[in-house]
């Protein structure tokens, strides 16, 4: 089976890996000349991986993805643990973790993260970072990638099946796909010493708010979930200064050892559904993969396999 994958972000790369593993003849088409470009959603050094989710569905999907990451190899995961914060204990992911027998405790194993007075927190050890750039390279190892090729329509591709993993550009192909691209901002801070655990803050609706993770260059990367504005991915735009200021204030309150002055910032695109679920479907000869909502990276091996299933039947 000849399969064309459009988009060399982490989802197209994972799909190519899973398709090749199943014997398909795969070609990846990427519009930019460099697969390490910073115009989409998959650039940068690290992403959080965690089992801790309030919904059991996501815990199970992460378990499946962990198997895939281990099979991929290439040293793409670093297990630094996770601190999950919430205004009240009932909002934490403890019940979902228990339902899967996953290890966690209320004893926070790293005092370099400050838990605000009156807030609840849990420690989840099977968590940390995915080394994003290494992961994309491992998935694409041995795969034919044609860069500098902007695909306008699947009809122009000589393949039995076309997998569209084009991130924020998906509505340019299928305007009815229920997603919204937004321009998000992250900032970097100097933090010395051993790598920090990842941190996810939940709000009153157990939904993801602020987050932080190890950055191999500066020490600490921090972001504000869903703080950005709607955007056209074809437009170039940098980080938002007001969001950087908001991030710096949160960082100073939660990481007393970090230098509170940001040393860098970057923009990145979320492609989000209303409930943060993923769009994985087949329409005739085309498979649509839109698994983002700001939390897709960690699931890439499992998503890649689902897209391969949809493509190969
Ligand atoms: C700031 C930020 C922080 C995040 N943090 C985390 C985290 O900690 N943990 C986590 O699990 N997830 C996180 N995510 C989410 C995760 O990074 C994304 O879900 C994931 O990268 C989406 O990958 P993708 O391949 O779908 O999209 P992209 O990476 O955008 O890939 C799409 C590719 O398609 C190409 N393309 C588009 N149109 C065409 C065309 N017409 N022809 C050819 N090529 C085309 C684009 O150039 C691009 O390379 C974060 C995302 C952001 C933005």
């Amino acid at each position: 089976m000849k399969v064309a994958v459009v988009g060399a972000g982490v989802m197209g790369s994972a799909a190519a890996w899973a398709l090749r593993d199943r014997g398909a003849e795969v070609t990846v088409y990427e519009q930019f000349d460099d697969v390490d470009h910073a115009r989409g959603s998959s650039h940068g050094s690290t992403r959080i991986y965690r089992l801790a989710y309030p919904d059991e569905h996501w815990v199970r999907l992460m378990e499946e993805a962990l198997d895939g990451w281990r099979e991929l190899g290439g040293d793409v995961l670093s297990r630094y643990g996770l601190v999950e914060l919430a205004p009240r204990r009932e909002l934490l992911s403890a019940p979902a973790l228990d339902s899967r027998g996953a290890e966690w405790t209320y004893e926070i194993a790293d005092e370099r993260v400050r838990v605000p007075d009156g807030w609840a927190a849990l420690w989840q050890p099977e968590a940390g970072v995915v080394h994003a750039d290494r992961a994309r390279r491992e998935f694409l190892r041995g795969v034919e990638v044609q860069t500098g090729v902007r695909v306008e329509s699947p009809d122009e591709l000589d393949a039995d099946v076309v997998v569209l993993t084009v991130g924020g550009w998906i509505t340019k192909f299928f305007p009815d796909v229920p997603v919204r691209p937004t321009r998000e901002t992250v900032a970097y801070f100097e933090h010395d010493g051993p790598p920090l655990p990842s941190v996810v803050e939940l709000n009153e609706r157990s939904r993801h708010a602020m987050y932080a993770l190890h950055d191999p260059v500066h020490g600490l990367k921090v972001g504000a979930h869903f703080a950005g504005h709607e955007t056209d991915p074809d437009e170039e735009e940098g980080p938002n200064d007001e969001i950087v200021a908001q991030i710096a204030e949160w960082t100073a309150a939660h990481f007393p050892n970090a230098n509170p002055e940001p040393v860098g910032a970057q923009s990145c695109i979320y492609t989000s559904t209303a409930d943060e679920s993923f769009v994985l479907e087949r329409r005739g000869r085309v498979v649509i993969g839109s698994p983002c909502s700001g939390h897709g990276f960690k699931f890439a091996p499992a998503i890649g396999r689902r897209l391969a299933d949809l493509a190969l039947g």
Side-chain angles (χ1 to χ4, degrees), residues 130-179:
V130 186
H131 296 281
D133 41 7
R134 264 188 242 162
R136 288 185 293 105
R137 270 197 293 278
E138 278 303 319
F139 281 134
L140 289 176
R141 192 181 291 279
V143 173
E144 184 198 346
V145 182
Q146 295 193 15
T147 55
V149 178
R150 177 150 171 142
V151 176
E152 298 302 337
S153 161
D155 301 339
E156 66 195 52
L157 296 170
D158 169 26
D160 302 302
V161 180
V162 175
V163 177
L164 279 184
T165 39
V166 292
W169 285 263
I170 190 64
T171 50
K172 298 193 184 255
F173 289 88
F174 292 99
D176 65 322
V177 171
V179 295

Short mmCIF file of all heavy atoms in Angstrom, two decimals, residues 130-179:
data_model
loop_
_atom_site.label_atom_id
_atom_site.label_comp_id
_atom_site.label_asym_id
_atom_site.label_seq_id
_atom_site.Cartn_x
_atom_site.Cartn_y
_atom_site.Cartn_z
N VAL A 130 9.12 14.47 27.22
CA VAL A 130 9.51 13.85 25.95
C VAL A 130 10.47 14.83 25.30
O VAL A 130 10.19 16.03 25.28
CB VAL A 130 8.31 13.67 24.98
CG1 VAL A 130 8.73 12.90 23.75
CG2 VAL A 130 7.14 13.00 25.65
N HIS A 131 11.62 14.35 24.81
CA HIS A 131 12.56 15.22 24.09
C HIS A 131 12.03 15.36 22.66
O HIS A 131 12.28 14.51 21.80
CB HIS A 131 13.96 14.62 24.16
CG HIS A 131 14.47 14.59 25.57
ND1 HIS A 131 14.99 15.71 26.18
CD2 HIS A 131 14.45 13.61 26.49
CE1 HIS A 131 15.32 15.41 27.43
NE2 HIS A 131 15.01 14.14 27.66
N ALA A 132 11.28 16.43 22.44
CA ALA A 132 10.45 16.59 21.24
C ALA A 132 11.25 16.50 19.94
O ALA A 132 10.86 15.77 19.02
CB ALA A 132 9.71 17.93 21.31
N ASP A 133 12.38 17.18 19.86
CA ASP A 133 13.14 17.18 18.61
C ASP A 133 13.72 15.78 18.33
O ASP A 133 13.62 15.27 17.20
CB ASP A 133 14.25 18.25 18.64
CG ASP A 133 14.96 18.33 20.00
OD1 ASP A 133 14.69 17.46 20.87
OD2 ASP A 133 15.76 19.26 20.19
N ARG A 134 14.21 15.13 19.39
CA ARG A 134 14.75 13.77 19.22
C ARG A 134 13.63 12.81 18.80
O ARG A 134 13.82 11.95 17.94
CB ARG A 134 15.28 13.26 20.58
CG ARG A 134 16.75 13.44 20.80
CD ARG A 134 17.15 12.73 22.07
NE ARG A 134 17.67 13.67 23.05
CZ ARG A 134 17.77 13.42 24.35
NH1 ARG A 134 17.37 12.25 24.83
NH2 ARG A 134 18.26 14.32 25.17
N ALA A 135 12.45 12.97 19.40
CA ALA A 135 11.33 12.07 19.10
C ALA A 135 10.94 12.17 17.63
O ALA A 135 10.78 11.14 16.96
CB ALA A 135 10.13 12.42 19.99
N ARG A 136 10.84 13.38 17.09
CA ARG A 136 10.45 13.53 15.68
C ARG A 136 11.49 12.89 14.78
O ARG A 136 11.16 12.20 13.82
CB ARG A 136 10.25 15.01 15.34
CG ARG A 136 8.98 15.61 15.95
CD ARG A 136 8.74 17.04 15.51
NE ARG A 136 9.76 17.95 16.04
CZ ARG A 136 10.73 18.47 15.32
NH1 ARG A 136 10.88 18.15 14.06
NH2 ARG A 136 11.61 19.30 15.86
N ARG A 137 12.77 13.08 15.14
CA ARG A 137 13.84 12.49 14.32
C ARG A 137 13.78 10.95 14.37
O ARG A 137 13.94 10.29 13.35
CB ARG A 137 15.21 12.96 14.82
CG ARG A 137 15.69 14.24 14.14
CD ARG A 137 17.18 14.44 14.34
NE ARG A 137 17.51 14.72 15.74
CZ ARG A 137 17.40 15.94 16.27
NH1 ARG A 137 16.95 16.94 15.54
NH2 ARG A 137 17.72 16.13 17.53
N GLU A 138 13.53 10.39 15.55
CA GLU A 138 13.46 8.93 15.67
C GLU A 138 12.31 8.37 14.83
O GLU A 138 12.46 7.39 14.12
CB GLU A 138 13.25 8.51 17.14
CG GLU A 138 14.50 8.48 18.00
CD GLU A 138 15.59 7.55 17.43
OE1 GLU A 138 15.26 6.45 16.96
OE2 GLU A 138 16.75 7.99 17.42
N PHE A 139 11.15 9.03 14.89
CA PHE A 139 10.00 8.56 14.10
C PHE A 139 10.31 8.58 12.61
O PHE A 139 9.88 7.71 11.85
CB PHE A 139 8.78 9.46 14.35
CG PHE A 139 8.02 9.20 15.63
CD1 PHE A 139 7.66 10.28 16.45
CD2 PHE A 139 7.64 7.93 16.00
CE1 PHE A 139 6.93 10.06 17.62
CE2 PHE A 139 6.91 7.71 17.17
CZ PHE A 139 6.56 8.77 17.98
N LEU A 140 11.08 9.59 12.17
CA LEU A 140 11.33 9.76 10.73
C LEU A 140 12.56 8.99 10.25
O LEU A 140 12.88 9.01 9.06
CB LEU A 140 11.48 11.25 10.39
CG LEU A 140 10.21 12.08 10.46
CD1 LEU A 140 10.51 13.56 10.20
CD2 LEU A 140 9.16 11.55 9.48
N ARG A 141 13.22 8.26 11.16
CA ARG A 141 14.43 7.53 10.78
C ARG A 141 14.08 6.54 9.64
O ARG A 141 13.17 5.71 9.78
CB ARG A 141 14.98 6.76 11.99
CG ARG A 141 16.36 6.18 11.82
CD ARG A 141 16.78 5.43 13.07
NE ARG A 141 16.99 6.34 14.18
CZ ARG A 141 18.12 7.05 14.35
NH1 ARG A 141 19.09 6.95 13.44
NH2 ARG A 141 18.28 7.84 15.38
N GLY A 142 14.77 6.72 8.49
CA GLY A 142 14.55 5.79 7.37
C GLY A 142 13.32 6.09 6.54
O GLY A 142 13.00 5.34 5.61
N VAL A 143 12.60 7.17 6.82
CA VAL A 143 11.38 7.51 6.07
C VAL A 143 11.73 8.54 5.00
O VAL A 143 12.48 9.49 5.26
CB VAL A 143 10.31 8.11 7.02
CG1 VAL A 143 9.12 8.62 6.22
CG2 VAL A 143 9.86 7.09 8.05
N GLU A 144 11.15 8.40 3.80
CA GLU A 144 11.38 9.40 2.75
C GLU A 144 10.57 10.66 3.06
O GLU A 144 9.34 10.59 3.20
CB GLU A 144 10.96 8.85 1.37
CG GLU A 144 11.28 9.84 0.25
CD GLU A 144 10.51 9.56 -1.05
OE1 GLU A 144 9.94 8.46 -1.16
OE2 GLU A 144 10.44 10.48 -1.88
N VAL A 145 11.25 11.79 3.21
CA VAL A 145 10.58 13.06 3.50
C VAL A 145 10.90 14.05 2.38
O VAL A 145 12.08 14.30 2.10
CB VAL A 145 11.05 13.65 4.84
CG1 VAL A 145 10.30 14.95 5.13
CG2 VAL A 145 10.84 12.65 5.99
N GLN A 146 9.87 14.58 1.75
CA GLN A 146 10.06 15.62 0.73
C GLN A 146 9.72 16.97 1.37
O GLN A 146 8.56 17.22 1.70
CB GLN A 146 9.17 15.34 -0.48
CG GLN A 146 9.55 14.05 -1.20
CD GLN A 146 8.89 13.94 -2.56
OE1 GLN A 146 8.38 14.93 -3.09
NE2 GLN A 146 8.91 12.73 -3.12
N THR A 147 10.73 17.80 1.60
CA THR A 147 10.49 19.10 2.23
C THR A 147 10.30 20.18 1.15
O THR A 147 10.62 19.96 -0.02
CB THR A 147 11.69 19.49 3.12
OG1 THR A 147 12.88 19.43 2.32
CG2 THR A 147 11.82 18.56 4.30
N GLY A 148 9.76 21.31 1.56
CA GLY A 148 9.53 22.40 0.60
C GLY A 148 8.41 22.09 -0.38
O GLY A 148 8.34 22.67 -1.47
N VAL A 149 7.53 21.16 -0.01
CA VAL A 149 6.40 20.78 -0.87
C VAL A 149 5.10 21.14 -0.16
O VAL A 149 4.72 20.49 0.83
CB VAL A 149 6.39 19.27 -1.18
CG1 VAL A 149 5.18 18.90 -2.04
CG2 VAL A 149 7.68 18.84 -1.85
N ARG A 150 4.42 22.20 -0.62
CA ARG A 150 3.12 22.55 -0.02
C ARG A 150 2.03 21.86 -0.83
O ARG A 150 1.86 22.11 -2.02
CB ARG A 150 2.90 24.06 -0.03
CG ARG A 150 1.51 24.42 0.52
CD ARG A 150 1.49 25.75 1.19
NE ARG A 150 0.11 26.15 1.49
CZ ARG A 150 -0.22 26.80 2.61
NH1 ARG A 150 0.70 27.06 3.52
NH2 ARG A 150 -1.47 27.15 2.82
N VAL A 151 1.31 20.96 -0.19
CA VAL A 151 0.23 20.20 -0.84
C VAL A 151 -1.04 21.05 -0.76
O VAL A 151 -1.44 21.47 0.33
CB VAL A 151 0.03 18.84 -0.13
CG1 VAL A 151 -1.16 18.09 -0.73
CG2 VAL A 151 1.31 18.00 -0.23
N GLU A 152 -1.66 21.29 -1.92
CA GLU A 152 -2.89 22.08 -1.92
C GLU A 152 -4.12 21.18 -1.85
O GLU A 152 -5.15 21.56 -1.29
CB GLU A 152 -2.95 22.96 -3.19
CG GLU A 152 -1.82 23.97 -3.28
CD GLU A 152 -1.75 24.94 -2.07
OE1 GLU A 152 -2.80 25.13 -1.40
OE2 GLU A 152 -0.65 25.45 -1.79
N SER A 153 -4.01 19.97 -2.41
CA SER A 153 -5.13 19.03 -2.38
C SER A 153 -4.61 17.60 -2.38
O SER A 153 -3.62 17.31 -3.08
CB SER A 153 -6.02 19.22 -3.62
OG SER A 153 -6.81 18.04 -3.80
N PRO A 154 -5.26 16.69 -1.63
CA PRO A 154 -4.84 15.28 -1.65
C PRO A 154 -4.88 14.69 -3.06
O PRO A 154 -4.15 13.75 -3.37
CB PRO A 154 -5.87 14.60 -0.74
CG PRO A 154 -6.40 15.68 0.13
CD PRO A 154 -6.37 16.93 -0.71
N ASP A 155 -5.71 15.28 -3.93
CA ASP A 155 -5.84 14.75 -5.30
C ASP A 155 -4.55 14.83 -6.09
O ASP A 155 -4.34 14.09 -7.05
CB ASP A 155 -6.96 15.50 -6.05
CG ASP A 155 -8.29 15.35 -5.33
OD1 ASP A 155 -8.41 14.38 -4.55
OD2 ASP A 155 -9.17 16.23 -5.50
N GLU A 156 -3.65 15.73 -5.67
CA GLU A 156 -2.41 15.89 -6.44
C GLU A 156 -1.36 14.83 -6.07
O GLU A 156 -0.30 14.75 -6.68
CB GLU A 156 -1.82 17.28 -6.23
CG GLU A 156 -1.35 17.58 -4.81
CD GLU A 156 -1.12 19.07 -4.58
OE1 GLU A 156 -2.03 19.87 -4.85
OE2 GLU A 156 -0.03 19.41 -4.07
N LEU A 157 -1.69 13.99 -5.06
CA LEU A 157 -0.69 13.02 -4.57
C LEU A 157 -0.93 11.62 -5.15
O LEU A 157 -2.05 11.11 -5.14
CB LEU A 157 -0.71 12.97 -3.05
CG LEU A 157 -0.29 14.27 -2.37
CD1 LEU A 157 -0.56 14.21 -0.88
CD2 LEU A 157 1.19 14.55 -2.63
N ASP A 158 0.17 11.02 -5.63
CA ASP A 158 0.10 9.67 -6.19
C ASP A 158 0.23 8.66 -5.06
O ASP A 158 1.34 8.26 -4.67
CB ASP A 158 1.25 9.49 -7.21
CG ASP A 158 1.40 8.03 -7.63
OD1 ASP A 158 0.38 7.30 -7.56
OD2 ASP A 158 2.54 7.61 -7.95
N ALA A 159 -0.91 8.30 -4.45
CA ALA A 159 -0.89 7.34 -3.35
C ALA A 159 -2.27 6.68 -3.23
O ALA A 159 -3.26 7.26 -3.67
CB ALA A 159 -0.56 8.06 -2.04
N ASP A 160 -2.30 5.49 -2.58
CA ASP A 160 -3.59 4.81 -2.37
C ASP A 160 -4.38 5.54 -1.29
O ASP A 160 -5.61 5.67 -1.38
CB ASP A 160 -3.34 3.37 -1.93
CG ASP A 160 -2.50 2.61 -2.96
OD1 ASP A 160 -2.95 2.54 -4.12
OD2 ASP A 160 -1.38 2.17 -2.61
N VAL A 161 -3.65 6.02 -0.28
CA VAL A 161 -4.28 6.72 0.85
C VAL A 161 -3.43 7.94 1.19
O VAL A 161 -2.20 7.89 1.07
CB VAL A 161 -4.37 5.80 2.09
CG1 VAL A 161 -5.03 6.53 3.26
CG2 VAL A 161 -5.14 4.53 1.77
N VAL A 162 -4.11 9.02 1.62
CA VAL A 162 -3.40 10.23 2.04
C VAL A 162 -3.75 10.50 3.51
O VAL A 162 -4.94 10.54 3.87
CB VAL A 162 -3.81 11.45 1.18
CG1 VAL A 162 -3.16 12.72 1.70
CG2 VAL A 162 -3.46 11.21 -0.28
N VAL A 163 -2.73 10.63 4.34
CA VAL A 163 -2.93 10.95 5.75
C VAL A 163 -2.63 12.44 5.93
O VAL A 163 -1.51 12.88 5.66
CB VAL A 163 -2.02 10.11 6.66
CG1 VAL A 163 -2.19 10.52 8.12
CG2 VAL A 163 -2.32 8.62 6.49
N LEU A 164 -3.64 13.19 6.36
CA LEU A 164 -3.47 14.63 6.54
C LEU A 164 -3.21 14.93 8.01
O LEU A 164 -4.13 14.89 8.84
CB LEU A 164 -4.73 15.37 6.12
CG LEU A 164 -4.98 15.66 4.64
CD1 LEU A 164 -6.26 16.49 4.49
CD2 LEU A 164 -3.81 16.36 4.00
N THR A 165 -1.95 15.17 8.36
CA THR A 165 -1.58 15.56 9.73
C THR A 165 -0.93 16.93 9.64
O THR A 165 0.28 17.07 9.80
CB THR A 165 -0.61 14.51 10.30
OG1 THR A 165 0.30 14.10 9.26
CG2 THR A 165 -1.32 13.28 10.79
N VAL A 166 -1.75 17.91 9.35
CA VAL A 166 -1.26 19.25 9.01
C VAL A 166 -1.50 20.27 10.12
O VAL A 166 -1.50 21.47 9.87
CB VAL A 166 -1.90 19.72 7.68
CG1 VAL A 166 -1.39 18.91 6.52
CG2 VAL A 166 -3.42 19.67 7.75
N GLY A 167 -1.72 19.79 11.34
CA GLY A 167 -1.85 20.68 12.49
C GLY A 167 -2.89 21.77 12.28
O GLY A 167 -4.01 21.49 11.84
N GLY A 168 -2.49 23.02 12.53
CA GLY A 168 -3.42 24.15 12.46
C GLY A 168 -3.91 24.46 11.06
O GLY A 168 -4.80 25.30 10.88
N TRP A 169 -3.34 23.79 10.04
CA TRP A 169 -3.73 24.05 8.65
C TRP A 169 -4.89 23.16 8.21
O TRP A 169 -5.33 23.27 7.07
CB TRP A 169 -2.52 23.80 7.75
CG TRP A 169 -1.46 24.87 7.78
CD1 TRP A 169 -1.32 25.89 6.90
CD2 TRP A 169 -0.36 24.96 8.68
NE1 TRP A 169 -0.22 26.65 7.21
CE2 TRP A 169 0.39 26.11 8.31
CE3 TRP A 169 0.07 24.22 9.80
CZ2 TRP A 169 1.54 26.50 9.01
CZ3 TRP A 169 1.22 24.63 10.48
CH2 TRP A 169 1.92 25.75 10.08
N ILE A 170 -5.40 22.28 9.09
CA ILE A 170 -6.40 21.28 8.66
C ILE A 170 -7.67 21.94 8.11
O ILE A 170 -8.28 21.41 7.15
CB ILE A 170 -6.73 20.29 9.80
CG1 ILE A 170 -7.59 19.13 9.28
CG2 ILE A 170 -7.46 20.98 10.95
CD1 ILE A 170 -6.94 18.24 8.24
N THR A 171 -8.08 23.07 8.65
CA THR A 171 -9.33 23.68 8.15
C THR A 171 -9.16 24.31 6.77
O THR A 171 -10.14 24.68 6.13
CB THR A 171 -9.85 24.74 9.16
OG1 THR A 171 -8.77 25.61 9.49
CG2 THR A 171 -10.39 24.07 10.41
N LYS A 172 -7.92 24.40 6.28
CA LYS A 172 -7.70 24.85 4.90
C LYS A 172 -8.04 23.73 3.92
O LYS A 172 -8.32 23.98 2.75
CB LYS A 172 -6.25 25.33 4.73
CG LYS A 172 -5.95 26.51 5.64
CD LYS A 172 -4.68 27.21 5.33
CE LYS A 172 -4.46 28.30 6.37
NZ LYS A 172 -4.71 29.68 5.87
N PHE A 173 -8.02 22.50 4.41
CA PHE A 173 -8.41 21.34 3.60
C PHE A 173 -9.88 21.00 3.85
O PHE A 173 -10.64 20.77 2.91
CB PHE A 173 -7.54 20.13 3.95
CG PHE A 173 -6.12 20.21 3.50
CD1 PHE A 173 -5.15 20.80 4.30
CD2 PHE A 173 -5.74 19.70 2.26
CE1 PHE A 173 -3.83 20.88 3.89
CE2 PHE A 173 -4.41 19.78 1.84
CZ PHE A 173 -3.46 20.37 2.65
N PHE A 174 -10.26 20.93 5.12
CA PHE A 174 -11.64 20.56 5.51
C PHE A 174 -12.16 21.60 6.50
O PHE A 174 -11.97 21.45 7.71
CB PHE A 174 -11.66 19.16 6.11
CG PHE A 174 -11.36 18.05 5.14
CD1 PHE A 174 -10.08 17.49 5.07
CD2 PHE A 174 -12.34 17.59 4.28
CE1 PHE A 174 -9.80 16.47 4.17
CE2 PHE A 174 -12.07 16.57 3.37
CZ PHE A 174 -10.80 16.02 3.30
N PRO A 175 -12.83 22.64 6.01
CA PRO A 175 -13.31 23.71 6.91
C PRO A 175 -14.28 23.21 7.97
O PRO A 175 -14.44 23.87 9.01
CB PRO A 175 -14.01 24.68 5.94
CG PRO A 175 -13.42 24.38 4.60
CD PRO A 175 -13.10 22.92 4.60
N ASP A 176 -14.89 22.02 7.76
CA ASP A 176 -15.88 21.54 8.74
C ASP A 176 -15.25 20.77 9.90
O ASP A 176 -15.95 20.38 10.84
CB ASP A 176 -16.92 20.64 8.04
CG ASP A 176 -16.26 19.37 7.50
OD1 ASP A 176 -15.11 19.47 7.02
OD2 ASP A 176 -16.88 18.29 7.59
N VAL A 177 -13.96 20.55 9.87
CA VAL A 177 -13.33 19.86 11.02
C VAL A 177 -13.43 20.80 12.22
O VAL A 177 -13.00 21.96 12.14
CB VAL A 177 -11.85 19.49 10.71
CG1 VAL A 177 -11.15 18.98 11.97
CG2 VAL A 177 -11.79 18.45 9.60
N PRO A 178 -14.03 20.34 13.34
CA PRO A 178 -14.38 21.27 14.45
C PRO A 178 -13.19 21.67 15.33
O PRO A 178 -13.15 21.38 16.53
CB PRO A 178 -15.39 20.44 15.25
CG PRO A 178 -14.96 19.01 15.05
CD PRO A 178 -14.41 18.95 13.64
N VAL A 179 -12.22 22.33 14.74
CA VAL A 179 -11.06 22.78 15.52
C VAL A 179 -10.81 24.27 15.31
O VAL A 179 -11.29 24.85 14.34
CB VAL A 179 -9.79 21.99 15.12
CG1 VAL A 179 -9.92 20.53 15.48
CG2 VAL A 179 -9.47 22.19 13.65
#
